[in-house]
Amino acid sequence: MEAHAPAEGTAAVDETARAPQWLDAREREVWLALRHLLWGLQPAVDRQLLRDAGLSGPEYSVLATLSDDPSGVVRAGTAARNLGWGRSRLSHLLRRMEAKGLISRACSPDDGRGQDIALTPAGRSAIVDAAPGHVEFVRSVVFEPLTSEQQDALREACQRISAAIEASGECDISCGEEP
């Protein structure tokens, strides 16, 4: 159900229950704009990466996470936390990426229980080839339409919304899980 009031006559209201605080017109407009952005941005990013680099958005994210480490090796649990994903989602993706030769996996030499993910030469080449087009796309759709002040406001708004989500208890690391 949407956060705005249902249309007249479409839902029976239980008068004994606490009435929801429906969104006012401005709040509804903000919510719908945010929803439109959220539902449109990820598919656009995925299309750009697939078209220009043959990578899915999640594959690019894993490769970027690995390439950020000077050794190109990251513990699976650390990668899952950095990406905001559950271990199950990451494990399935890593299996596919390993089959494509983009990464390799091995038991961690630190404690045999953990798993290290390593960037292969093919994976490094893929991220190096994909990054320029991806950053150009991100710049064109996120930064160029906004002033510096709007960019700062967007960052602050995203941080506040993320903090509220975390504080609600409705989302933990598994929020990134696919249904």
Side-chain angles (χ1 to χ4, degrees):
M1 180 175 202
E2 280 302 321
H4 52 84
E8 187 98 14
T10 60
V13 176
D14 179 0
E15 297 298 328
T16 62
R18 186 174 148 299
Q21 184 179 352
W22 299 110
L23 301 180
D24 64 29
R26 184 188 57 75
E27 291 168 332
R28 182 176 187 274
E29 188 176 311
V30 170
W31 166 244
L32 293 176
L34 177 60
R35 186 181 74 180
H36 185 75
L37 169 69
L38 294 173
W39 289 359
L41 182 60
Q42 191 61 54
V45 168
D46 288 340
R47 281 190 301 275
Q48 179 273 318
L49 285 167
L50 194 57
R51 180 190 67 237
D52 295 348
L55 295 170
S56 70
E59 288 172 336
Y60 182 89
S61 296
V62 169
L63 294 176
T65 297
L66 294 175
S67 70
D68 283 343
D69 188 276
S71 69
V73 179
V74 176
R75 289 284 297 256
T78 302
R81 276 191 305 283
N82 290 347
L83 293 163
W85 298 345
R87 289 179 187 247
S88 174
R89 177 182 185 190
L90 181 61
S91 179
H92 292 299
L93 179 60
L94 293 177
R95 193 173 309 118
R96 292 191 302 269
M97 292 177 73
E98 191 172 31
K100 290 169 112 175
L102 299 171
I103 58 106
S104 63
R105 297 185 290 173
C107 288
S108 174
D110 296 336
D111 76 6
R113 294 179 304 154
Q115 189 177 65
D116 286 341
I117 310 164
L119 194 58
T120 64
R124 183 163 305 281
S125 178
I127 191 72
V128 166
D129 291 346
H134 182 60
V135 76
E136 184 178 309
F137 177 76
V138 170
R139 181 170 300 288
S140 73
V141 301
V142 176
F143 295 100
E144 289 175 3
L146 304 176
T147 65
S148 298
E149 294 79 17
Q150 290 170 326
Q151 292 170 20
D152 291 341
L154 177 61
R155 182 194 65 242
E156 183 179 343
C158 289
Q159 290 169 338
R160 286 176 177 246
I161 292 169
S162 293
I165 292 168
E166 290 171 19
S168 76
E170 293 297 324
C171 183
D172 56 16
I173 197 75
S174 64
C175 274
E177 290 290 326
E178 294 174 340

